Amino acid sequence: MIYLKKLSLRAAVSDESGGITAWLSLCFLVFLALYLACLQSVQRQYRRQQAEQAVEAGMFSLFSEYEPHLLERYDLFCLDLSFAGGVQRDDWLCSRLWKHMAGQLADAAGKFPEGLEPQGIFIQDPERLTDDGGAVFYQQAVRIMKEKSGVSLAQDWIRQQEFREQAGKKAERFQEDCEKYEGVVQNYEESEEGEMEAEARQWDGLRSSFLCTMAIPGHQEISGKTVNLSEVPSVRVLSAGSGNADGTEGDLLEKQWFISYLCEYFPQAQEVLAGKKHKGERWLDYQMEYVLCGHASDQENLEQVILQILLLREGVNYVFLLSHPAYSDQAQMLATLLAGLTGNAELIKGLKHLILLGWAYGESVVELRQLLAGYELSFLKTEENWQVPLPGLLALIGDPDKYDIQDGKQQGMDYEAYLRMFLTLLPPETLAMRTLDVVEGELQRIDGCSRIHVDHCADRLTARIWFEDIYLERTYGYE
């Protein structure tokens, strides 16, 4: 009995211990499951972190393959999506990105960690230089100049704008009087009788004898280069990107930054004529003039700029002559001398204004030659900086290089400042796209770059990458 009792007691104790053991086992299993779940989550997060690092490194390496000539010549960071092949190659882009990521993930034998072998890559939403009317290029150029230039740009621009507004009104007055008085002498000779000096005829239509070569100092030759504009970016149908740029419709100060970029990286006629930037195998020699005018030849572009400056200067000089009695009296005396015997007051008055118009024209030709020689012109015309005397004006037309050197050096606006003033009037889209015409034309003249197109040059793009159980999407660009 005692044995049985002890045995019964042992059995009771064994049942209680078994219950505890089962409970502990269940707790252990729950803990183990929780541990394994945490471990799996950590492994998944670790794999995701590895994938993210590989994608970041791969995108960085892909964008390090920027087009080197754009950086060297224009400080532009762009990825050529065609790899100089002329056609965008998305398969090459994906292959290059896969290769760069594989270099981060695979071992020496080329084996990937479990779950980290890329299953698919898709490139989308490239922001091209030409998107939104050249907005991507426009904004990158603005950023470049903000890093290089100071805030004094705004003050200079304000003075130029004030001068343009005033000179524009004076040019309108000049044109109105030209229409009013030109032909007065010729019409009188055709319909009336009376004695008039032969010199009077030379003053009527004096401006019509102007040739653009008369504005070129030192007997320099104007560039004869021409280009075909049928396939330039501003004309042809372009590859379209995401269009996610900020646009070109920024404020006027941003436009000044962009024009400063033009002045920094693109030659203009005065620099080429003066030998500051030597003529070479360029697309066009007068590239800033092309951006302003958009013609296919250097000569056409320069002629248009010369005529624009000439008209402004004629207006300034003509109004100055009208407002200063000493100069106006000289014109009156000469008109009376040449046509006084006719007794026709209207003829004398018309001839006086023709003399003033011709005098303003002669002074303006001298100023144009000085601008293209590198001199500046004062904002205001005064007796001190007036250069051409009336008695020597007609002789000057046949020998315009007499005043190529300024006696008293003026301070104001040089030739580049006039270009800046005219460029400000163009829409930002026109500025950006014509500049890209030049950029592409210059690139394609380089050996091995004949098939590069600016609408295949991207500033930013998005990549979508799939792994076994991980999906990543990353946007990368040049900042």
Side-chain angles (χ1 to χ4, degrees):
M1 290 296 295
I2 294 172
Y3 173 77
L4 291 175
K5 185 177 182 180
K6 289 182 178 180
L7 186 59
S8 176
L9 290 171
R10 287 178 181 175
V13 173
S14 179
D15 289 341
E16 185 179 349
S17 298
I20 295 173
T21 301
W23 182 80
L24 289 174
S25 297
L26 290 172
C27 289
F28 177 75
L29 289 175
V30 171
F31 174 76
L32 182 61
L34 181 62
Y35 172 77
L36 291 176
C38 292
L39 181 62
Q40 188 177 18
S41 177
V42 170
Q43 289 177 333
R44 185 181 294 110
Q45 291 300 319
Y46 177 67
R47 286 199 303 272
R48 185 176 185 85
Q49 184 179 20
Q50 283 185 297
E52 289 176 347
Q53 291 176 346
V55 170
E56 291 289 340
M59 293 288 283
F60 183 85
S61 298
L62 179 65
F63 272 78
S64 69
E65 300 182 24
Y66 52 81
E67 213 299 308
H69 303 96
L70 280 175
L71 179 63
E72 179 183 353
R73 292 197 174 196
Y74 304 109
D75 281 341
L76 295 173
F77 277 103
C78 295
L79 179 65
D80 180 13
L81 304 180
S82 70
F83 295 93
V87 178
Q88 181 172 329
R89 296 293 303 271
D90 289 339
D91 54 338
W92 284 19
L93 278 171
C94 295
S95 175
R96 297 296 297 172
L97 181 55
W98 191 95
K99 180 180 178 180
H100 291 313
M101 290 192 303
Q104 298 294 319
L105 293 171
D107 58 20
K111 184 177 180 181
F112 290 89
E114 183 180 354
L116 287 180
E117 182 174 1
Q119 303 297 310
I121 299 175
F122 180 68
I123 301 295
Q124 65 181 25
D125 298 336
E127 291 185 4
R128 308 167 191 269
L129 289 183
T130 52
D131 282 352
D132 293 344
V136 174
F137 165 64
Y138 189 90
Q139 294 299 332
Q140 191 171 155
V142 168
R143 290 197 300 270
I144 291 170
M145 293 314 297
K146 282 183 178 179
E147 295 174 359
K148 286 190 172 187
S149 303
V151 295
S152 61
L153 177 68
Q155 183 179 0
D156 294 339
W157 167 67
I158 291 172
R159 292 191 68 188
Q160 292 171 12
Q161 290 300 101
E162 291 175 349
F163 171 77
R164 181 184 63 81
E165 292 175 1
Q166 296 174 3
K169 294 177 181 178
K170 294 175 181 178
E172 291 177 3
R173 170 71 183 278
F174 178 83
Q175 287 181 306
E176 290 173 359
D177 282 7
C178 283
E179 294 175 1
K180 181 177 180 181
Y181 294 109
E182 284 184 349
V184 168
V185 173
Q186 295 177 359
N187 293 338
Y188 175 81
E189 289 182 326
E190 293 174 359
S191 60
E192 302 287 344
E193 295 182 359
E195 296 182 2
M196 182 170 52
E197 296 292 334
E199 183 183 327
R201 303 175 184 177
Q202 300 180 42
W203 292 100
D204 199 345
L206 185 63
R207 295 178 67 250
S208 62
S209 64
F210 177 73
L211 299 174
C212 286
T213 52
M214 296 170 62
I216 307 301
H219 305 288
Q220 298 280 346
E221 291 186 4
I222 298 177
S223 169
K225 287 186 178 179
T226 60
V227 293
N228 182 3
L229 298 182
S230 62
E231 292 297 325
V232 295
S234 63
V235 174
R236 71 169 185 262
V237 177
L238 302 170
S239 300
S242 64
N244 291 328
D246 297 331
T248 56
E249 298 302 323
D251 56 26
L252 288 174
L253 185 56
E254 277 201 348
K255 185 186 286 188
Q256 291 304 308
W257 290 120
F258 184 81
I259 294 173
S260 294
Y261 178 82
L262 294 177
C263 296
E264 180 79 14
Y265 293 93
F266 297 88
Q268 37 93 342
Q270 188 275 318
E271 294 173 326
V272 176
L273 291 171
K276 296 178 182 178
K277 292 188 178 180
H278 298 288
K279 294 182 180 180
E281 293 301 318
R282 296 194 190 98
W283 185 67
L284 285 174
D285 284 334
Y286 311 151
Q287 295 178 0
M288 284 187 65
E289 285 80 0
Y290 169 77
V291 175
L292 176 60
C293 306
H295 298 304
S297 72
D298 278 331
Q299 182 170 344
E300 287 179 288
N301 292 319
L302 181 57
E303 285 179 353
Q304 183 172 328
V305 174
I306 285 175
L307 292 175
Q308 289 181 17
I309 298 176
L310 179 64
L311 180 59
L312 280 184
R313 295 309 309 175
E314 284 174 324
V316 171
N317 293 328
Y318 180 61
V319 172
F320 169 79
L321 291 173
L322 287 175
S323 60
H324 283 71
Y327 295 94
S328 184
D329 289 347
Q330 290 185 51
Q332 178 68 45
M333 290 176 60
L334 181 58
T336 303
L337 178 64
L338 297 177
L341 294 179
T342 64
N344 190 318
E346 288 299 319
L347 175 63
I348 296 172
K349 178 183 176 182
L351 182 55
K352 171 192 172 182
H353 282 277
L354 287 173
I355 292 170
L356 291 173
L357 291 168
W359 199 357
Y361 158 72
E363 179 79 4
S364 301
V365 171
V366 167
E367 291 174 334
L368 262 174
R369 294 176 65 89
Q370 292 175 352
L371 282 175
L372 287 169
Y375 289 100
E376 298 181 8
L377 297 178
S378 299
F379 287 99
L380 297 176
K381 199 67 180 178
T382 65
E383 295 183 19
E384 288 73 21
N385 57 39
W386 188 271
Q387 302 176 81
V388 181
L390 182 58
L393 180 60
L394 293 179
L396 169 71
I397 304 304
D399 185 21
D401 59 351
K402 183 177 180 181
Y403 296 93
D404 283 355
I405 299 177
Q406 284 185 356
D407 292 334
K409 200 168 184 180
Q410 302 179 34
Q411 293 184 343
M413 293 175 60
D414 59 6
Y415 178 77
E416 185 178 279
Y418 278 88
L419 287 179
R420 294 183 68 106
M421 184 174 64
F422 295 138
L423 287 166
T424 304
L425 302 177
L426 294 181
E429 181 177 343
T430 301
L431 288 173
M433 292 307 299
R434 284 183 183 171
T435 305
L436 286 173
D437 293 348
V438 179
V439 170
E440 183 174 284
E442 287 294 310
L443 274 180
Q444 292 181 352
R445 299 184 70 85
I446 301 173
D447 290 340
C449 300
S450 61
R451 302 184 68 186
I452 292 180
H453 299 95
V454 289
D455 53 328
H456 295 152
C457 296
D459 175 79
R460 181 183 302 269
L461 56 78
T462 298
R464 300 164 63 188
I465 303 99
W466 291 267
F467 296 89
E468 184 175 323
D469 59 351
I470 301 172
Y471 166 75
L472 296 174
E473 183 173 316
R474 292 290 183 273
T475 298
Y476 209 87
Y478 300 107
E479 295 293 342

